[in-house]
Amino acid sequence: WQQSTQKQWYQRRVRGRDIVQGIMRSDSERGLERVGRDLAVQQRVPWREYWPFMDAFVNLREEDGLILLEKYLANNTTCFISSDTPSKADQDVLLALPPGGVTQM
């Protein structure tokens, strides 16, 4: 499994170099996580990524990850994840949610 996944990751980067480089240019901090999320879905393997504001490794495309996010937001006194205005963290969370939104689960 590991060699197959590494090979696909590499081939995806070689074949889709423009796509991956575009993602990295637009999001140098979490760009590879976006690629990894999609690859994990294709390979049907578990995926977790670290979210500093929750201090936890979570998959926001799974119910347990969404429950942790909801708990965090319920206990948060701000309108957004880290402040009263949208931040990069808010955008990262939105990109990590299931395609089509949480109603698709």
Side-chain angles (χ1 to χ4, degrees):
W1 170 84
Q2 184 179 5
Q3 288 177 338
S4 171
T5 302
Q6 287 174 338
K7 184 177 179 179
Q8 281 193 347
W9 187 290
Y10 176 76
Q11 287 175 342
R12 184 178 194 144
R13 290 191 69 193
V14 171
R15 277 190 247 140
R17 185 171 300 276
D18 293 337
I19 295 169
V20 173
Q21 286 179 346
I23 290 171
M24 290 302 295
R25 273 193 291 272
S26 68
D27 187 356
S28 62
E29 293 175 26
R30 296 194 76 84
L32 289 178
E33 282 86 349
R34 290 174 56 191
V35 175
R37 272 183 228 123
D38 294 341
L39 187 56
V41 169
Q42 290 174 3
Q43 292 290 312
R44 296 183 184 134
V45 296
W47 176 260
R48 303 279 184 269
E49 56 192 290
Y50 183 72
W51 295 98
F53 64 91
M54 289 191 288
D55 192 28
F57 285 89
V58 177
N59 183 347
L60 295 178
R61 293 185 179 185
E62 293 179 354
E63 188 173 351
D64 62 335
L66 291 174
I67 289 169
L68 285 173
L69 178 61
E70 284 182 15
K71 285 181 183 179
Y72 173 83
L73 293 173
N75 293 324
N76 192 359
T77 58
T78 63
C79 296
F80 296 96
I81 289 174
S82 58
S83 67
D84 287 326
T85 59
S87 68
K88 174 94 170 66
D90 296 289
Q91 180 184 10
D92 291 340
V93 167
L94 288 175
L95 290 172
L97 293 173
V102 294
T103 57
Q104 301 296 316
M105 294 185 72

